[in-house]
Amino acid sequence: AYVISEPCIGTKDTSCVEVCPVDCIHPTPDEADFDQRDQLYIDPEECIDCDACVEACPVDAITSEDQVPTEWQRYIAINADYYKNV
Ligand code: SF4
Ligand code: F3S
């Protein structure tokens, strides 16, 4: 799966949402909790590793799970946790 890390915080550009073919990036701007979230999250169960979101993000917040920088490793769990109670 792919993971959204720290650069998304304060940016939330949402270009990634538009290019994802399986709509596995949430919350989208029309969802109720969009404004309450610091960043967006990728559903690790739904992501098909297509790589489209990586180029779309203007702040390079997205990497594949096995390429998340050491200092951002916690974001693997942060992305997955968003989907735990859905
Ligand atoms: Fe969506 Fe593809 Fe990015 Fe996974 S890698 S979140 S499927 S755009
Ligand atoms: Fe965030 Fe980049 Fe998407 S800033 S919302 S990961 S396009």
Side-chain angles (χ1 to χ4, degrees):
Y2 279 52
V3 174
I4 299 180
S5 297
E6 193 165 271
C8 185
I9 298 173
T11 303
K12 290 169 65 178
D13 179 79
T14 74
S15 295
C16 55
V17 173
E18 289 159 36
V19 300
C20 181
V22 294
D23 295 329
C24 71
I25 306 176
H26 299 274
T28 58
D30 60 348
E31 286 180 87
D33 62 338
F34 182 80
D35 288 334
Q36 294 152 29
R37 294 288 175 168
D38 292 332
Q39 66 166 94
L40 273 62
Y41 312 89
I42 293 171
D43 186 342
E45 303 286 327
E46 299 294 329
C47 175
I48 60 171
D49 298 337
C50 77
D51 207 55
C53 54
V54 173
E55 283 298 312
C57 179
V59 293
D60 296 330
I62 309 177
T63 51
S64 67
E65 187 170 0
D66 57 7
Q67 291 178 336
V68 177
T70 309
E71 67 270 29
W72 295 338
Q73 284 290 313
R74 68 187 182 282
Y75 284 89
I76 296 172
I78 288 170
N79 278 245
D81 285 349
Y82 178 77
Y83 296 95
K84 288 244 170 84
N85 297 314
V86 175

